[in-house]
Amino acid sequence: MKHLKTTLTALTLAFGVAGFAHAAPIEIKFSHVVAENTPKGQMAIKFQQLIAERMPDKVEVKVYPNSQLFGDNKVLEAMILGDVEMAAPSVSKFNKYTKKLQIFDLPFLFKDMDAVDRFQQSDSGQELLNSLKKKGYVGLGYLHNGMKQISASIPLQLPADAKGKKFRIMSSDVLAAQFEALDAVPLKKPFSEVFTLLQTRAIDGQENTWSNIYSKKFFEVQPYITQSDHGVLDYLVVTSTEFWMGLPDDVRADVKTALDEAIVYGNKVANDKAMADKQAIIDSGRSKVIVLSDDDRQQWVESMKPVWKQFEKEIGPELIQAAVASNQ
Ligand code: LMR
């Protein structure tokens, strides 16, 4: 009897405690490589805020900027291992996982960010979100940064000026081919190393958006920036299929809604920053912005565009056609 009583008391206590105890919120670690005052940095913070407002007991988002947790070369592996739940690497960094996303790296493919938007919202663009499925990732959405410019330690007015110079690129074969087409030397390096490589003159230049050139202070160590708008820097927000499908249905739906809203916000920041950060660089007087005449620009187009043919088979001619059509 005493034994029964003790057991009952223990059970009551156990259930009592369980009744009051809350399960810990599901943690989403969001890792990225850029500064907080960038489109991606702001999007991640907005996502964190929306989740904190709407579902504080269920989910907690922790944001790790500036390659604090993982660089883009490690983050995707870490995601499969369950060490990080979300990231938004640039589409150029999925080279190892799918050839299709290389489309975004083709030089002079999109005339502006509206064209990028139209392509991404088209059926072909939406299908690309699934291109990592076989590798265990879910593409949750695209996020913009902006058009890329080329910064250098020497003035680059014409493509021939880049001959023999070393440029840091993201880990993309298309981008390598793009600089090789200029008879330049491309070097695949992590984003976190770019400032030092430029500062020490180990390399001559790099390509990036106004926002990244400004927030990472590349303009302080690169006296020239050619306003080439030759390519796009865009991101794919990804998670692992295992994590995503393991979420309860209602939680997954609410997290996705918050993320979609954060992406809309991030895209607005991208738009504003492309102009504001360019102006801030000009105002600093540290770097001269080189504007191309139509004829000069045409020379850049003619030098870089043959890269399309090199990758047409891997990417698929129809996909390239769909992207070209988005310029209208
Ligand atoms: C880069 O490596 O230059 C960019 O992908 C960094 C970023 O995430 O914007």
Side-chain angles (χ1 to χ4, degrees):
M1 185 65 186
K2 183 161 177 248
H3 184 67
L4 181 65
K5 216 170 146 193
T6 316
T7 311
L8 280 176
T9 314
L11 278 174
T12 315
L13 266 175
F15 280 110
V17 170
F20 284 111
H22 289 287
I26 298 164
E27 187 176 87
I28 299 183
K29 291 194 273 310
F30 193 127
S31 168
H32 68 81
V33 298
V34 290
E36 288 190 315
N37 62 338
T38 57
K40 184 158 54 181
Q42 291 294 302
M43 179 284 261
I45 291 172
K46 176 62 109 188
F47 176 52
Q48 181 180 42
Q49 286 167 349
L50 292 175
I51 295 289
E53 273 164 37
R54 295 176 187 174
M55 41 200 317
D57 301 335
K58 292 187 186 163
V59 178
E60 184 182 7
V61 175
K62 289 187 177 155
V63 182
Y64 298 87
N66 294 310
S67 313
Q68 261 168 30
L69 193 59
F70 293 107
D72 281 339
N73 48 345
K74 285 274 172 334
V75 76
L76 292 169
E77 286 163 35
M79 199 172 275
I80 291 294
L81 296 174
D83 293 335
V84 59
E85 286 73 31
M86 264 191 209
S90 98
V91 282
S92 318
K93 292 175 181 166
F94 290 93
N95 214 135
K96 244 174 46 190
Y97 299 88
T98 170
K99 297 294 169 204
K100 293 274 169 208
L101 286 173
Q102 295 187 120
I103 185 145
F104 291 103
D105 286 340
L106 292 179
F108 296 106
L109 177 61
F110 297 105
K111 69 172 190 201
D112 53 27
M113 295 309 291
D114 287 343
V116 176
D117 239 349
R118 279 193 291 273
F119 173 65
Q120 290 177 343
Q121 298 318 316
S122 71
D123 290 348
S124 314
Q126 288 296 301
E127 265 171 43
L128 278 181
L129 287 175
N130 298 323
S131 56
L132 299 160
K133 213 170 171 178
K134 281 198 194 123
K135 306 285 177 184
Y137 302 97
V138 184
L140 295 172
Y142 297 106
L143 171 73
H144 299 327
N145 187 318
M147 301 302 282
K148 289 182 293 185
Q149 322 301 332
I150 308 179
S151 74
S153 49
I154 36 119
L156 302 177
Q157 189 75 41
L158 294 173
D161 300 330
K163 191 172 175 184
K165 303 290 176 210
K166 293 193 194 110
F167 292 89
R168 177 270 173 173
I169 54 164
M170 295 181 273
S171 53
S172 148
D173 293 344
V174 176
L175 298 180
Q178 171 194 274
F179 278 100
E180 279 159 7
L182 304 176
D183 289 325
V185 184
L187 295 162
K188 292 178 181 170
K189 295 284 178 190
F191 187 60
S192 55
E193 291 177 22
V194 182
F195 180 84
T196 307
L197 288 168
L198 295 173
Q199 190 186 35
T200 57
R201 297 282 163 108
I203 56 172
D204 303 292
Q206 62 88 45
E207 53 163 24
N208 232 306
T209 58
W210 292 113
S211 152
N212 280 347
I213 294 172
Y214 181 65
S215 60
K216 287 292 176 189
K217 303 192 186 328
F218 299 163
F219 71 101
E220 293 186 1
V221 290
Q222 291 272 267
Y224 301 98
I225 303 172
T226 302
Q227 186 175 325
S228 51
D229 287 326
H230 64 284
V232 59
L233 174 53
D234 225 79
Y235 305 116
L236 188 66
V237 184
V238 280
T239 186
S240 76
T241 312
E242 192 178 339
F243 172 73
W244 193 240
M245 296 321 291
L247 292 175
D249 288 351
D250 58 330
V251 171
R252 190 186 316 117
D254 290 347
V255 168
K256 180 69 168 58
T257 303
L259 183 68
D260 289 346
E261 286 179 41
I263 287 177
V264 170
Y265 175 76
N267 285 343
K268 160 111 182 48
V269 174
N271 203 21
D272 295 348
K273 281 211 162 287
M275 280 185 284
D277 291 354
K278 173 184 164 189
Q279 195 53 48
I281 291 170
I282 294 171
D283 294 347
S284 77
R286 301 288 292 265
S287 195
K288 180 173 167 5
V289 174
I290 297 173
V291 178
L292 301 176
S293 67
D294 288 351
D295 285 353
D296 292 349
R297 191 174 153 83
Q298 193 49 35
Q299 287 201 38
W300 286 91
V301 174
E302 278 162 22
S303 303
M304 287 180 165
K305 220 169 150 180
V307 166
W308 291 26
K309 263 268 157 288
Q310 265 175 267
F311 291 88
E312 192 182 70
K313 247 211 179 114
E314 283 184 3
I315 297 171
E318 315 74 34
L319 198 59
I320 298 178
Q321 273 320 308
V324 170
S326 67
N327 284 317
Q328 267 114 52

